[in-house]
Amino acid sequence: MIELGRMNRLTVVKTVDFGVYLDGGEEAGEILLPTRYVPEGCKPGDELEVFLYLDQEERLIATTLTPKAQVGEFAYLKVNWVNQFGAFLDWGLMKDLFVPFREQKMKMQQDRSYIVYVYIDEESYRIVATAKVDRYLSHPEPGTYNKGDEVDLLIQQKTDLGFKAIIDGRYTGLLYDNEVFRPLHTGDKVKAYIKNVREDGKIDLELQNQHGQASVLGFAQQLREYLEQHGGHTPFNDKSDSDAIYAEFGVSKKVFKRAVGDLYKHRLITLEDGITLVKK
């Protein structure tokens, strides 16, 4: 079975002047891979990883290019142009990705970017996108995540509470504004941690595992190595600005303070005029 709008591994069955044909099975038959995408030395019997989509004449065609999003995925894509039917997004292929007006939350504008979900329209069998992404997001089943689990986020939008984010390409979650210690923008892809899974399935997120002892100990070791590499001293301390701490160390102020406390407790540093490594 081939998958439209997804990467497929198909076998080359014959070569022609304008490319090669791939075996699409009984349902699809032979699928053209145009010359511009054919790897050097390609011959019948070779297996190729290709993306399948429809060309301008709505014919099934293959490419070795990997699009910015496949069917079933979310992405932050730029509008190349708009006409009377909808918007057309740059998704990394020669043929742009269509968003009908009915699938736009607000009228899309050329050169602006939007979070969209890619799917196959059941009526036309075309690959299209929608900006109405919430219908494709859900809450996880109980036990899917535990507190402290690392996840991949796509920042969806800024809200009054913080940043709404798409978790692992499936679920929705929230980073609270007062816990965000670095600049975030719609479309950013970041690592984060599960802070809390509520009884109703809603998920609270955090950019660092603030409660994980391993995280604190890991940065404590990094801070110790940092001091060794900087003459045994840094002017930073627990009163330093959180943005300055993140810019220098890449951690939140909370993790920084806990790591400093751990090093101080083990008498590895002193805290006069910043942080100084104890000489052995």
Side-chain angles (χ1 to χ4, degrees):
M1 288 288 293
I2 64 166
E3 291 187 277
L4 178 65
R6 303 285 304 176
M7 299 299 295
N8 294 256
R9 191 163 189 82
L10 302 180
T11 302
V12 177
V13 292
K14 67 181 178 184
T15 61
V16 292
D17 292 340
F18 44 87
V20 302
Y21 278 99
L22 307 170
D23 183 8
E26 293 184 5
E27 181 182 357
E30 295 180 348
I31 304 169
L32 176 65
L33 175 67
T35 301
R36 67 171 67 91
Y37 305 123
V38 178
E40 186 176 351
C42 180
K43 61 186 183 302
D46 289 351
E47 288 190 346
L48 299 177
E49 196 75 20
V50 296
F51 180 78
L52 299 182
Y53 67 113
L54 302 179
D55 65 12
Q56 301 292 353
E57 283 73 44
E58 305 299 327
R59 296 172 302 191
L60 190 61
I61 196 166
T63 176
T64 49
L65 297 176
T66 301
K68 297 175 182 177
Q70 301 183 51
V71 165
E73 295 179 351
F74 299 88
Y76 186 56
L77 301 179
K78 180 181 177 181
V79 177
N80 274 343
W81 54 292
V82 179
N83 67 9
Q84 67 270 32
F85 302 109
F88 295 81
L89 311 180
D90 174 13
W91 65 326
L93 303 182
M94 288 187 65
K95 181 184 178 183
D96 292 330
L97 181 62
F98 180 53
V99 185
F101 281 126
R102 68 176 182 275
E103 295 298 333
Q104 300 176 25
K105 294 171 70 174
M106 60 184 70
K107 189 173 181 179
M108 290 181 167
Q109 300 178 31
Q110 185 174 335
D111 295 329
R112 293 194 61 180
S113 297
Y114 302 85
I115 297 288
V116 297
Y117 178 80
V118 184
Y119 69 103
I120 296 176
D121 180 69
E122 293 182 356
E123 294 183 6
S124 65
Y125 197 59
R126 290 192 299 175
I127 303 170
V128 295
T130 178
K132 299 177 180 180
V133 299
D134 287 344
R135 73 175 76 135
Y136 297 98
L137 293 168
S138 61
H139 298 309
E141 293 293 325
T144 302
Y145 292 116
N146 295 310
K147 187 174 183 178
D149 285 352
E150 184 179 82
V151 293
D152 292 310
L153 300 187
L154 174 64
I155 302 301
Q156 184 179 351
Q157 67 183 84
K158 181 77 169 68
T159 71
D160 292 340
L161 293 176
F163 291 89
K164 192 175 180 181
I166 297 171
I167 304 169
D168 291 337
R170 299 183 64 183
Y171 310 114
T172 184
L174 184 67
L175 286 163
Y176 287 95
D177 203 28
N178 62 352
E179 297 178 356
V180 174
F181 52 87
R182 52 176 285 193
L184 288 178
H185 307 91
T186 297
D188 285 351
K189 293 182 179 181
V190 299
K191 295 285 186 182
Y193 297 89
I194 301 296
K195 181 180 180 181
N196 184 39
V197 180
R198 304 184 188 183
E199 291 184 2
D200 59 4
K202 292 182 179 179
I203 299 177
D204 296 331
L205 300 159
E206 56 188 0
L207 289 177
Q208 286 187 309
N209 188 358
Q210 309 283 16
H211 306 281
Q213 185 63 16
S215 175
V216 174
L217 293 177
F219 177 65
Q221 179 61 31
Q222 290 179 36
L223 180 57
R224 185 177 179 182
E225 292 172 357
Y226 174 93
L227 292 168
E228 291 173 348
Q229 295 166 7
H230 290 77
H233 179 78
T234 178
F236 286 91
N237 57 40
D238 59 5
K239 301 293 194 298
S240 297
D241 179 73
S242 58
D243 290 339
I245 289 173
Y246 181 77
E248 184 70 15
F249 300 102
V251 299
S252 69
K253 188 170 183 176
K254 183 180 289 187
V255 168
F256 178 83
K257 290 175 68 174
R258 292 180 68 185
V260 169
D262 183 75
L263 292 177
Y264 184 78
K265 181 177 66 176
H266 289 88
R267 300 182 179 181
L268 296 173
I269 59 172
T270 60
L271 301 177
E272 295 179 7
D273 299 320
I275 303 170
T276 301
L277 194 62
V278 173
K279 295 181 180 179
K280 293 186 178 180

